[in-house]
Amino acid sequence: MILPVFAEPISDRTGLKTTFSVMVNSKPVNIETTANFDVRTISFEDDTLVIQIVSSLENNIGELQIPNEITKGEMLFSLDGAQISPKILQNDKISFVTLEFVGNGTH
């Protein structure tokens, strides 16, 4: 018996959780992401966290949990060369960053 399958997206605001390990001062540090876009890589270069994003959706939302041992002082964010202002919440262990942006493709 073959049954037909019809699928619809659950929601364009549903995210997948991924953990990335980056080297900071010769020590591995985990950064957690939950996003409705594909976070391909995260690296730490010259005191800058570089995140490669690929999205097939127009409206994007993602959350990052960044350990405070990476963040020293004010955090600045840019997307496609333009500065953005995500929502940032902090406690004594992490910075919790919520990114929302429009546009599909590679960022």
Side-chain angles (χ1 to χ4, degrees), residues 23-97:
M23 296 302 287
V24 178
N25 298 325
S26 302
K27 177 184 167 193
V29 175
N30 288 335
I31 298 172
E32 294 182 6
T33 67
T34 304
N36 70 347
F37 47 82
D38 184 13
V39 179
R40 294 276 172 99
T41 62
I42 296 181
S43 59
F44 191 68
E45 306 165 9
D46 301 321
D47 290 333
T48 301
L49 201 58
V50 178
I51 303 169
Q52 182 186 20
I53 296 169
V54 176
S55 176
S56 60
L57 300 173
E58 187 62 25
N59 296 310
N60 301 283
I61 185 167
E63 299 170 338
L64 307 169
Q65 290 184 39
I66 305 170
N68 287 341
E69 60 196 277
I70 293 177
T71 59
K72 296 174 184 161
E74 183 182 8
M75 290 189 290
L76 303 174
F77 292 85
S78 64
L79 179 71
D80 300 330
Q83 188 168 344
I84 60 172
S85 300
K87 180 179 178 182
I88 302 171
L89 300 172
Q90 293 179 304
N91 65 22
D92 59 333
K93 295 183 181 180
I94 66 162
S95 293
F96 187 85
V97 180

